[in-house]
Every structure is written in C-alpha cells, then in structure tokens.
Amino acid sequence: MTRFPFYLALAGAMLSTAVARQADAEEKVARGKYLVTTSGCHDCHTPWKVGPKGPEPDMSRALSGHPAGFDLPPAPKASGPWIVSASATNTAWSGPWGVSFTANLTPDAETGLGKWSFKNFKDTIRTGRHMGRGRPILPPMPIPMYKNFSDADLEAIFSYLQTIPAITNKVPEPLPPSEVAGK
C-alpha cells in the first residue's frame, strides 16, 4: 500500500502538466486574436457592409474572405496616379497585378484553412507564395511586413484562426492583368 501516495503524486503531476498545457494553449490563442485584430486582418479578409455609421466589417462573416457569388463588373481602368481600386466589400482589389480576392481564413476544411498545417501557413507568409510554393500572394496582402512576424507570433495567429467559426466560402481565383478592363 505504500505505492498509493506515489501514484497519487504522479496523477497530480500529470494533471498539473495538463492544466499548464491548457493555459499555454489559451494564452497562444489569445495572443493570436490580439495579433489578428491589431494587424488589420479584418480590414480585408472580413467583408464589409454598410452600417448605421457607414462601411464596417460584417463580423457575421469574420475572416471568410471575398464572398462567393458576389460577382463584380470589370474593374475600372487605372488612370493617372490612381492605380488601385477596391470593391465595396473591401475583399477584391484591382491593380497592375490583375484582380485579387482576399482568402477565407476560417477553419473550413473545403474553402478555408481547415486542411492547412502550421507549416503551410508559416511557409505562405515567409515566402509570399500560396502554401509556400504555389502562386504569389497578391496585393494588398502586406507580405513584406508580415513575413517579419516571429515563428511564435505566426503560430499564435494560426492557432487563433483554427478556433474561429468555420465559414464555407469559396473565394474566386485571382484574375491576371489581361482580364482586367482597359489592360
């Protein structure tokens, strides 16, 4: 019967470790939420709507990217010093690169980041290429600034994004400059 206190102490240590891990995970998610909020992710990845005081992010579609099925007319021709235009939802941008549509950052498995690993996410930000090896991430995504996040910050951001509600929203592929009006 002398083993009982040992097993009790072992169980207590295991429980204490599990509680500490849970607290670390919660702190990481909270840090990620802070970074997403202060880094302007909602500015482009959350569709905007007209509210009582003018345009505002539609938080019912938080971080879901350009709304599927929101068809746009051809982008206006760039003229003079005005070389960039944005949709009313602030989720589609046109410029010399063509037209870019902001990505769905929710954990939806089919249309968002649900099947991504942290490595996919980190590689995308570090290289400026989709999944770290695909097509370039286009403006207005501030890759030149975001690639300076530490690995710990990127892990916190990714951890937070995995906790938000999944929204099924298939974002269109970018349009090359040849498909933009006036090009």
Side-chain angles (χ1 to χ4, degrees), residues 80-145:
W82 297 97
I83 63 166
V84 176
S85 58
S87 67
T89 59
N90 216 39
T91 58
W93 295 73
S94 174
W97 64 87
V99 177
S100 50
F101 302 93
T102 56
N104 182 347
L105 302 181
T106 75
D108 182 70
E110 298 306 315
T111 65
L113 300 180
K115 292 182 180 176
W116 285 44
S117 67
F118 168 62
K119 182 177 180 350
N120 297 143
F121 182 77
K122 180 177 76 168
D123 289 351
T124 296
I125 301 300
R126 292 279 184 252
T127 66
R129 300 189 81 73
H130 187 73
M131 301 289 275
R133 61 190 176 280
R135 67 164 176 77
I137 303 299
L138 300 171
M141 184 66 175
I143 290 292
M145 303 322 141

Side-chain angles (χ1 to χ4, degrees), residues 51-64:
K53 295 182 180 178
E56 63 186 18
D58 180 354
M59 297 310 285
S60 71
R61 298 188 291 172
L63 302 170
S64 64

